[in-house]
């Protein structure tokens, strides 16, 4: 039995589904240390029901000794660290107590070529040298991992998965009646998600058609006031995953106008639910899941006119939307939680010293970094 500890950020429905699948495998025992979702999201702790875990409050997540004690108590064979931003997690890689533990780092940050990213390879070098493998979300983060100096053989794809079995039946239910004429946005009401652009674009769209579709918005955040009192906009607020099923089923298309979004899972879930998708090219998961004019449209970020045009296009392509929705679901299928668990099962066994001689840490990172 291999023991695996995940040191994670905020909990979510999609990661809970993935961990639950991994925990169901007979030769894997997992323990999750994660943040309670008390900041930008309000997911219920009940999401983690049945998953061995310890959820950290705002104070506890800053307590490096507590985190280290929790990990030691689980006696992991493999320790998974999410990225490098949380110092208290990052310090675990340097703790002498974990010298015999295989280390995996996950990352979803895309490569944009900024000066900070160019410098990151030097600042992160000692941390990265301690990893046995780096798991990326998609092709954009693969490019960043490569530029950090990680050898391609030590980069795996597939950080995230979704509860595909929960979303996929919604397409068949939607097809039982007339395809809905409505747009759906799910996400935080913050500038980085482009909520202000969405409101402006929707106003433009409404002015161009005689029978505009409604825009349903689900989330919370400081820009919520911009949604209130707007004709055609239905603000539902933040809903738990179990409350979202009917919302997804009654939607006709999904919109994600983000200014920056490393690998948004809402986009993948929308595709799994069988929806055409409009998103910006800032959405990293669009690289894997969206094919323009096949199952969706990709537009520039912060461009209200382009977004309004895309909404008008779907309005006019109404008879094709069910076909686009079927294609979306096919493109989302590889991210099902059971497939995620299979990928991680293989990776965990590959990095474990009992199954493969532990890599020389100096070989994980290329000698000459870009």
């Amino acid at each position: 039995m291999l023991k695996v500890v995940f040191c994670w950020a905020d909990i979510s429905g999609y990661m809970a589904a993935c961990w639950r699948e991994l925990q169901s495998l007979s030769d894997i025992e997992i323990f999750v240390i994660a943040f309670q979702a008390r900041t930008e999201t309000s997911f219920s702790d009940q999401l983690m029901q049945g998953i061995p875990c310890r959820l950290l409050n705002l104070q506890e997540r800053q307590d490096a000794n507590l985190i280290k004690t929790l990990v030691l108590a689980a006696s992991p064979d493999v320790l998974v660290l999410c990225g490098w931003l949380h110092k208290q997690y990052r310090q675990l890689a340097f703790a002498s107590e974990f010298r015999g533990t295989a280390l995996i780092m996950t990352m979803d940050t895309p490569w944009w070529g900024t000066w900070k990213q160019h410098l990151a390879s030097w600042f992160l070098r000692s941390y990265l040298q301690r990893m046995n493998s780096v798991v990326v979300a998609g092709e954009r983060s693969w490019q960043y991992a490569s530029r950090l100096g990680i050898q391609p053989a030590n980069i795996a794809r597939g950080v995230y998965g979704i509860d595909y079995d929960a979303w996929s039946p919604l397409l068949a239910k939607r097809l039982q009646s007339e395809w809905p004429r409505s747009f759906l946005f799910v996400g935080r009401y913050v500038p980085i998600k482009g909520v202000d652009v969405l409101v402006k674009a929707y106003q433009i769209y409404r002015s161009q058609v005689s029978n505009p579709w409604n825009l349903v918005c689900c989330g919370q955040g400081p820009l919520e006031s911009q949604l209130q009192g707007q004709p055609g906009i239905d603000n539902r607020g933040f809903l738990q995953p179990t409350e979202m099923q009917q919302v997804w089923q009654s939607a006709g298309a999904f919109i994600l106008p983000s200014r920056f979004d490393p690998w948004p899972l809402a986009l993948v879930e929308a595709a799994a639910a069988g929806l055409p998708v409009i998103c910006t090219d800032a959405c990293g998961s669009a690289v894997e899941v969206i094919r323009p004019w096949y199952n969706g449209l990709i537009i520039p970020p912060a461009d209200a006119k382009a977004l309004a045009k895309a909404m008008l296009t779907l309005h006019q392509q109404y008879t094709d939307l069910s076909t686009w929705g079927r294609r979306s679901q096919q493109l989302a299928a590889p991210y099902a939680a059971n497939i995620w668990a299979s990928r991680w099962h293989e990776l965990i066994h590959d990095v474990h010293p009992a199954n493969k001689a532990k890599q020389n840490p100096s070989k994980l990172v290329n000698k000459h970094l870009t």
Side-chain angles (χ1 to χ4, degrees):
M1 177 75 71
L2 289 183
K3 296 182 178 181
V4 185
V5 171
F6 287 82
C7 290
W8 213 253
D10 288 350
I11 60 173
S12 61
Y14 55 84
M15 283 309 305
C18 291
W19 288 324
R20 198 168 283 112
E21 285 286 343
L22 188 60
Q23 173 69 9
S24 71
L25 302 179
S26 60
D27 60 345
I28 297 286
E29 180 180 317
I30 76 167
F31 184 73
V32 177
I33 300 171
F35 301 164
Q36 287 181 312
R38 295 293 183 268
T39 52
E40 292 183 320
T41 60
S42 299
F43 288 118
S44 168
D45 293 354
Q46 291 301 310
L47 285 177
M48 299 294 288
Q49 188 172 7
I51 302 170
C53 66
R54 174 65 155 81
L55 302 183
L56 307 174
N57 61 32
L58 290 172
Q59 182 177 353
E60 290 174 333
R61 67 185 66 175
Q62 305 303 325
D63 190 337
N65 289 328
L66 170 63
I67 292 171
K68 183 178 177 180
T69 299
L70 291 171
V71 176
L72 284 171
S75 303
D77 300 297
V78 179
L79 178 58
V80 181
L81 303 173
C82 62
W84 55 78
L85 293 181
H86 193 61
K87 179 182 178 181
Q88 290 74 15
Y89 285 168
R90 195 171 66 244
Q91 289 174 342
L92 296 171
F94 300 91
S96 59
E97 294 90 337
F98 302 119
R99 285 178 181 168
T101 303
L103 300 178
I104 297 173
M105 186 192 81
T106 68
M107 60 180 287
D108 62 10
T109 309
W111 172 254
W112 292 117
T114 65
W115 66 269
K116 288 184 178 180
Q117 289 187 322
H118 280 288
L119 291 175
S121 60
W122 298 103
F123 290 115
L124 295 172
R125 185 178 179 85
S126 60
Y127 177 62
L128 295 175
Q129 284 179 331
R130 285 162 171 77
M131 299 300 147
N132 295 84
S133 184
V134 172
V135 187
V136 300
E139 292 309 305
R140 288 181 179 173
S141 50
W142 189 98
Q143 294 293 333
Y144 191 12
S146 178
R147 289 174 180 271
L148 284 172
I150 309 300
Q151 295 185 3
N154 296 317
I155 305 174
R157 294 168 175 83
V159 169
Y160 301 124
I162 61 168
D163 191 357
Y164 184 83
D165 289 344
W167 302 114
S168 58
L170 299 180
L171 175 60
K173 293 179 180 178
R174 195 180 301 111
L175 291 171
Q176 290 175 0
S177 56
E178 186 178 87
W179 192 267
R181 288 177 166 85
S182 69
F183 298 108
L184 173 65
F185 166 82
V186 178
R188 293 171 290 136
Y189 297 161
V190 293
I192 202 169
K193 290 289 187 178
V195 171
D196 54 326
V197 180
L198 176 62
V199 172
K200 185 176 180 180
Y202 182 69
Q203 292 171 341
I204 297 172
Y205 155 77
R206 279 185 66 89
S207 70
Q208 295 175 330
V209 295
S210 58
N211 54 340
W213 300 353
N214 285 346
L215 169 61
V216 176
C217 296
C218 298
Q220 64 182 11
L223 298 185
E224 184 168 10
S225 61
Q226 296 193 18
L227 303 172
Q228 304 289 42
Q230 294 288 346
I233 296 181
D234 179 6
N235 175 28
R236 303 284 181 87
F238 183 85
L239 300 176
Q240 296 295 334
T242 54
E243 302 174 296
M244 285 292 298
Q245 293 292 309
Q246 185 57 43
V247 175
W248 287 101
Q249 184 180 332
S250 60
F254 182 74
I255 301 177
L256 193 58
S258 302
R259 289 181 167 91
F260 176 75
D261 224 334
W263 212 84
L265 273 297
L267 186 155
V268 187
E269 290 174 336
L275 289 176
V277 174
I278 299 172
C279 67
T280 65
D281 54 20
C283 297
S285 52
V287 176
E288 282 74 35
V289 179
I290 306 303
R291 301 292 178 267
W293 286 90
Y294 182 75
N295 72 314
L297 299 170
I298 301 177
I299 60 172
D303 190 334
K305 290 183 179 179
L307 178 53
K309 182 180 179 181
M311 297 169 79
L312 179 61
T313 297
L314 292 198
H315 184 111
Q316 296 171 338
Q317 298 286 132
Y318 173 76
T319 57
D320 296 327
L321 296 190
S322 61
T323 300
W324 286 28
R326 291 187 184 94
R327 294 167 178 169
S328 279
Q329 193 166 85
Q330 293 169 0
L331 289 165
Y335 301 96
N338 64 317
I339 299 176
W340 180 93
S342 296
R343 288 198 299 264
W344 275 83
H345 179 271
E346 183 73 12
L347 173 65
I348 288 164
H349 279 275
D350 282 348
V351 302
H352 186 246
N355 298 292
K356 178 181 179 181
K358 194 170 184 180
Q359 298 164 334
N360 180 346
S362 65
K363 292 183 180 180
L364 179 66
V365 180
N366 290 327
K367 182 178 180 180
H368 301 290
L369 301 176
T370 56

